[in-house]
Amino acid sequence: MTTTEQSTSTPIAAGPATADPAWQILPAEIRYATELAFLAAYDDGPRPPGWALTPRAVVTFVQGSGGEPLTLPADRRTAPDGTDLPGTLVVPAKFVGDRALVERCVVTLAGERGLLLVGEPGTAKSMLSELLSAAICGTSALTVQGTAGTTEDAFRYGWNYALLLAQGPTRQALVESPVLTAMRTGRVARVEEVTRCLPEVQDALVSILSDRRINVPELADTPAGVIPAVPGFSVIATANLRDRGVSEMSAALKRRFNFETVPPIADAATEMALVRRQATAAVERAGAGYAVDDAVLDALVTVFRDLRAGRSAEGWDVERPGTVMSTAEAVQVAAALGLATAYLSSGDPLDLLPGHLLGVVRKDDEADHGRLVGYWDGPVRRRAEAGSPMWRRLWDLRETLR
């Protein structure tokens, strides 16, 4: 990688590309287009076949430059499409997690082996998958969403039946799956919630990951009878550890993947900062400013962390609810508080917190309602008795949980 050079340019933090009003959320390859083009020019080291960035630059894109401004040599400040690149750029971190985890993911993909990101719901597995895909091949769109209704066609191919009836089986009548397109073009295919697919559907990936080709029996006597994977093709799949409707993966399929566990955020301050940042962005997309006090967010994140761990920050035992108290859910509650404050003049957002928490907890198991009330009778009451005005107010709101 080129070293950082002295420059009179003012470092800028990379931000989203010009937003298209037709998009609610921009995909990573559009949102971070400037960053991706900058890193492609910045690191001119060796790249695996088909990769848009070096493995080192992919890690920097996901984990950030640590606040360090990166400077492009003057002769590299024009992108291949002719647009000017910034001379200096600070790359922000986008994934909150262990750098070593990201590096292992990148090495797995560089070796063209399947990568399976596992963990509890809401730990940013899908976001990491999207970021890696965008950095490696320039698109995160080659995605299959796994469900109980997903069929083998989603991994292999289908047919345009109008053309099939008119022409018979031809290459033009073949409808490529996102996986087949990734194989043919040397890109990354994403499979979200792979364990929600039925086992016999999951196993369509076994031959794809082993043989690196798809046979089309209907076109056996034509050049299109075998469609091979070209260099650069790989698969990133995600799976939740605690969820309903999960199908066990076969041993054969497991052997085709390297498993990486994405854990919940360990540090409370880091989780708090992430919740505020993402909730602020969500409220701003809705056309308002974020006006929820940090003290309220601190209470929100504390409750989520206590219930997730089954133990409070003070060391008091807490009965864990059956639902997963994920960071993603905390962001949704924080955003809801911000929207209510902005649009409904609802008074103190702290007064709304118990009701929103009840909505998160009471999803699958009715007994979880009692577990949340038990949390109020335990840590919330004890903190109130210790003299905290905020927790005293939350204790006074106990009746709203009924």
Side-chain angles (χ1 to χ4, degrees):
M1 182 182 292
T2 57
T3 56
T4 302
E5 301 174 4
Q6 295 296 321
S7 171
T8 57
S9 303
T10 302
I12 65 172
T18 303
D20 183 337
W23 291 82
Q24 282 192 320
I25 300 177
L26 291 169
E29 57 269 22
I30 298 177
R31 183 180 182 189
Y32 302 112
T34 299
E35 273 188 54
L36 292 169
F38 180 94
L39 288 170
Y42 177 75
D43 190 342
D44 60 352
R47 306 174 188 187
W51 282 41
L53 301 181
T54 68
R56 193 163 40 193
V58 173
V59 175
T60 301
F61 173 69
V62 175
Q63 291 292 98
S65 59
E68 176 189 0
L70 307 179
T71 302
L72 274 180
D75 60 351
R76 299 188 198 168
R77 294 182 182 178
T78 302
D81 63 1
T83 59
D84 292 332
L85 297 174
T88 308
L89 192 70
V90 176
V91 181
K94 303 164 193 66
F95 172 73
V96 178
D98 185 11
R99 185 182 184 90
L101 165 67
V102 177
E103 290 177 347
R104 290 195 302 271
C105 292
V106 171
V107 168
T108 293
L109 296 169
E112 297 183 335
R113 183 168 172 81
L115 171 65
L116 182 61
L117 302 174
V118 301
E120 293 190 348
T123 51
K125 300 182 295 299
S126 295
M127 184 184 75
L128 178 57
S129 167
E130 179 186 5
L131 292 171
L132 290 170
S133 300
I136 290 169
C137 67
T139 181
S140 59
L142 299 174
T143 304
V144 176
Q145 178 60 55
T147 69
T150 301
T151 64
E152 190 175 323
D153 291 357
F155 297 131
R156 294 171 59 81
Y157 58 87
W159 294 101
N160 180 322
Y161 286 102
L163 287 177
L164 187 64
L165 291 172
Q167 302 175 358
T170 63
R171 183 65 181 86
Q172 292 73 27
L174 191 79
V175 178
E176 294 185 357
S177 70
V179 176
L180 179 53
T181 299
M183 293 176 67
R184 183 177 56 78
T185 58
R187 295 179 178 178
V188 178
R190 301 169 58 210
V191 182
E192 292 293 310
E193 308 284 4
V194 65
T195 51
R196 286 195 171 277
C197 301
L198 296 175
E200 58 269 24
V201 174
Q202 294 178 27
D203 282 345
L205 289 170
V206 172
S207 61
I208 290 172
L209 293 172
S210 298
D211 302 334
R212 300 284 164 157
R213 63 179 181 268
I214 286 181
N215 296 312
V216 185
E218 297 89 344
L219 303 177
D221 295 329
T222 72
V226 177
I227 303 176
V230 303
F233 167 68
S234 55
V235 174
I236 305 176
T238 64
N240 288 327
L241 294 178
R242 288 178 59 194
D243 214 348
R244 293 187 177 184
V246 168
S247 300
E248 178 67 21
M249 294 175 66
S250 68
L253 184 56
K254 287 179 179 178
R255 288 195 298 270
R256 270 71 179 180
F257 283 104
N258 278 354
F259 283 59
E260 290 292 345
T261 300
V262 182
I265 298 173
D267 180 66
T270 301
E271 185 169 9
M272 166 84 168
L274 176 65
V275 169
R276 167 167 277 284
R277 183 169 66 250
Q278 293 198 358
T280 299
V283 172
E284 288 176 349
R285 284 198 303 272
Y290 196 72
V292 177
D293 188 83
D294 277 350
V296 177
L297 291 184
D298 180 64
L300 166 64
V301 172
T302 298
V303 173
F304 267 77
R305 291 179 65 84
D306 289 352
L307 291 173
R308 182 192 308 150
R311 194 171 182 82
S312 75
E314 298 87 350
W316 305 321
D317 287 337
V318 174
E319 189 174 6
R320 294 176 62 184
T323 190
V324 178
M325 304 296 291
S326 68
T327 302
E329 290 274 17
V331 169
Q332 295 303 317
V333 173
L337 296 178
L339 289 168
T341 301
Y343 286 127
L344 300 179
S345 301
S346 302
D348 188 346
L350 188 65
D351 294 347
L352 305 177
L353 183 55
H356 283 287
L357 287 171
L358 187 57
V360 171
V361 169
R362 194 170 56 189
K363 288 184 177 179
D364 298 319
D365 185 353
E366 185 60 34
D368 284 343
H369 183 183
R371 294 182 179 105
L372 182 61
V373 173
Y375 177 79
W376 240 252
D377 291 339
V380 173
R381 177 182 58 81
R382 296 172 76 169
R383 289 165 183 157
E385 291 172 347
S388 168
M390 180 181 64
W391 291 98
R392 178 68 200 180
R393 177 59 185 156
L394 284 174
W395 171 247
D396 290 341
L397 293 168
R398 181 182 183 279
E399 290 305 311
T400 64
L401 296 175
R402 293 298 180 183

